[in-house]
């Protein structure tokens, strides 16, 4: 997989996720086998550039190349300016968001709402591609709703504008994350354009990754929610695609170590107050479905300091280790109760 002059080590990419794909998470996934990780969305609104949140999102210090930053907005000139700003801050690839289904994004005609206005799509792509000398990529959905699937038309606009890679989530904007992703549209786009295509949506296992790559003929796959609390999914998929065999599941001791290191990175990146609060969702993802995790997660949300959080995690994983070297999950019926 190649994007401009950047040759990725594989074709497994971390999807941009608001509030999730910060620098600590991107670095972790790259260390676990991802070939690239796209940053969480940065607004094109220049008024926000001075905010602490935006400065943090533009912080790529020590990050493994290539550094891909996603921008969102609906005004071509502002999007071009945002692209230039982020390249000046170290971005090596600019990714344009036309895939986010969130109401607060679509209500300002950004994200996947743009798929309703193909001429505006073209103007934004032309403006951004013309504004920077780094590769520009695009993330879209299959369309606005199931009656208006226009990914193929948008893909042709993108190719004409000079977009170098196109990522497609196999749902419409109206679908949000409900139902199942479909891959026929992705396959049709791949067959119709010359630029590389990345398939995204519901890729949760090594077998599903292989199926989607073979079915769509996509050049790469993008994984989002399945990596939350499970960053080792990238090495599992990479190994399976290369050998057809499964890696052994990670042991309790390794997952404990990965989580503790992740927490320290979050505390360092955000500071204690925000770090503790942001860490809660990650701890919840790592421990979901494990024996005793429901009460553990509830108690975790009451803790206010890094020391309390670390001590609770250490105690919980010490208890898990007592059940054996592998993680012990409760039965599905208990989870549903």
């Amino acid at each position: 997989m190649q994007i401009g002059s950047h040759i990725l080590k594989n074709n497994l990419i971390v999807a941009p996720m608001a509030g999730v794909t910060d620098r600590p998470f991107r670095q972790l996934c790259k260390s676990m086998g991802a070939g690239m990780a796209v940053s969480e969305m940065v607004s094109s609104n220049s008024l926000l550039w001075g905010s602490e949140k935006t400065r943090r999102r533009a912080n790529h210090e020590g990050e493994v190349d290539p550094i891909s930053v996603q921008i969102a907005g609906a005004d071509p000139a502002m999007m071009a300016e945002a692209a230039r700003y982020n390249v000046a801050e170290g971005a090596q690839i600019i990714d344009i968001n036309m895939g986010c289904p969130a109401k607060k994004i679509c209500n300002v005609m950004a994200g996947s709402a743009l798929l309703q206005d193909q001429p505006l799509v073209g103007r934004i792509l032309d403006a951004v591609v013309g504004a920077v000398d780094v590769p520009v990529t695009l993330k879209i959905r299959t369309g606005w709703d199931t009656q208006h699937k226009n990914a193929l038309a948008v893909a042709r606009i993108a190719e004409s504008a000079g977009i170098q890679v196109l990522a497609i989530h196999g749902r419409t904007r109206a679908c949000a994350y409900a139902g199942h992703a479909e891959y026929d549209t992705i396959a049709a786009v791949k067959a119709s354009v010359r630029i590389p295509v990345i398939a995204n949506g519901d890729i949760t296992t090594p077998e599903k990754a292989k199926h989607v790559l073979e079915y769509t003929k996509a050049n790469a796959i993008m994984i989002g929610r399945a990596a939350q609390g499970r960053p080792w999914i990238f090495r599992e998929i990479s190994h399976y695609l290369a050998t057809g065999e499964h890696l052994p599941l990670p042991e309790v001791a390794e997952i404990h170590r990965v989580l503790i290191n992740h927490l320290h990175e979050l505390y360092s990146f955000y500071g204690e107050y925000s770090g503790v609060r942001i860490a809660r969702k990650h701890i919840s993802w790592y421990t979901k479905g494990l024996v005793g995790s429901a009460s553990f997660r509830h108690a975790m949300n009451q803790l206010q300091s890094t020391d309390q959080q670390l001590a609770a995690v250490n105690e919980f994983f010490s208890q898990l280790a007592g059940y054996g070297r592998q993680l012990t999950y409760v039965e599905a019926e208990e989870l549903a109760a």
Side-chain angles (χ1 to χ4, degrees):
M1 182 70 184
Q2 184 165 350
I3 304 176
S5 62
H6 304 287
I7 300 174
L8 309 188
K9 67 181 181 181
N10 60 33
N11 59 350
L12 309 179
I13 298 169
V14 187
M17 294 176 281
V20 180
T21 48
D22 52 20
R23 193 183 74 194
F25 188 77
R26 295 194 303 270
Q27 287 285 68
L28 173 58
C29 290
K30 288 176 181 179
S31 73
M32 286 281 182
M36 188 174 80
V38 184
S39 78
E40 55 185 326
M41 192 168 53
V42 178
S43 171
S44 65
N45 187 340
S46 59
L47 294 175
L48 299 177
W49 290 356
S51 73
E52 182 183 353
K53 178 185 286 188
T54 301
R55 282 198 302 272
R56 193 182 293 118
R57 287 183 176 178
N59 181 340
H60 314 292
E61 186 179 337
E63 189 167 347
V64 175
D65 292 350
I67 295 165
S68 176
V69 174
Q70 187 180 79
I71 60 174
D75 180 84
M78 286 177 62
M79 288 287 280
E81 192 177 348
R84 284 190 289 266
Y85 168 83
N86 281 286
V87 169
E89 293 293 320
Q92 297 166 321
I93 297 168
I94 293 293
D95 185 57
I96 298 174
N97 182 314
M98 293 188 185
C100 179
K103 287 182 180 178
K104 69 178 181 180
I105 300 297
C106 289
N107 285 347
V108 293
M109 279 304 293
S112 54
L114 289 165
L115 299 177
Q116 296 175 99
D117 190 339
Q118 289 176 198
L120 178 56
V121 167
R123 292 196 299 275
I124 290 173
L125 300 186
D126 287 340
V128 175
V129 170
V132 293
D133 58 1
V134 302
V136 180
T137 60
L138 174 65
K139 178 125 190 282
I140 66 171
R141 285 186 165 231
T142 55
W144 176 249
D145 58 32
T146 52
Q147 286 73 47
H148 301 90
K149 289 187 178 181
N150 61 340
L152 190 52
V154 172
R156 287 171 176 155
I157 294 169
E159 185 172 39
S160 177
I163 292 297
Q164 297 204 18
V165 177
L166 178 67
I168 309 174
H169 184 112
R171 288 181 173 88
T172 67
R173 186 273 168 209
C175 294
Y177 296 102
H180 300 286
E182 58 93 358
Y183 307 111
D184 290 333
T185 302
I186 300 174
V189 170
K190 173 58 186 170
S192 302
V193 297
R194 294 182 301 276
I195 58 176
V197 171
I198 302 170
N200 176 223
D202 292 354
I203 300 171
T204 55
T205 64
E207 291 90 348
K208 189 67 174 285
K210 186 173 188 289
H211 166 73
V212 171
L213 282 169
E214 291 177 348
Y215 187 82
T216 64
K217 304 296 191 289
N219 302 85
I221 53 174
M222 182 172 272
I223 297 168
R225 289 172 295 163
Q228 294 174 351
R230 191 183 159 200
W232 48 86
I233 189 173
F234 296 100
R235 74 181 185 197
E236 291 176 342
I237 291 174
S238 179
H239 183 81
Y240 184 80
L241 292 177
T243 68
E245 298 176 354
H246 287 279
L247 282 176
L249 293 173
E251 295 184 357
V252 171
E254 182 189 10
I255 296 171
H256 184 192
R257 185 172 66 252
V258 169
L259 174 53
I260 290 295
N261 289 341
H262 191 179
L263 294 181
H264 281 297
E265 290 294 327
L266 289 171
Y267 302 153
S268 174
F269 191 62
Y270 289 102
E272 176 151 4
Y273 181 84
S274 295
V276 165
R277 282 148 184 81
I278 289 166
R280 287 171 183 162
K281 61 188 172 189
H282 289 280
I283 294 168
S284 178
W285 290 327
Y286 277 95
T287 58
K288 184 178 180 181
L290 296 174
V291 171
S293 68
S295 58
F296 164 74
R297 292 199 308 275
H298 177 73
M300 178 60 61
N301 290 333
Q302 317 306 314
L303 304 181
Q304 303 295 319
S305 75
T306 57
D307 286 345
Q308 290 174 327
Q309 211 168 54
L310 290 168
V313 168
N314 286 334
E315 181 180 357
F316 180 68
F317 273 86
S318 177
Q319 292 170 358
L320 289 178
Y323 295 115
R325 293 171 64 183
Q326 305 294 145
L327 293 179
T328 303
Y329 290 88
V330 296
E331 293 300 319
E333 346 19 306
E334 290 181 56
L335 276 174

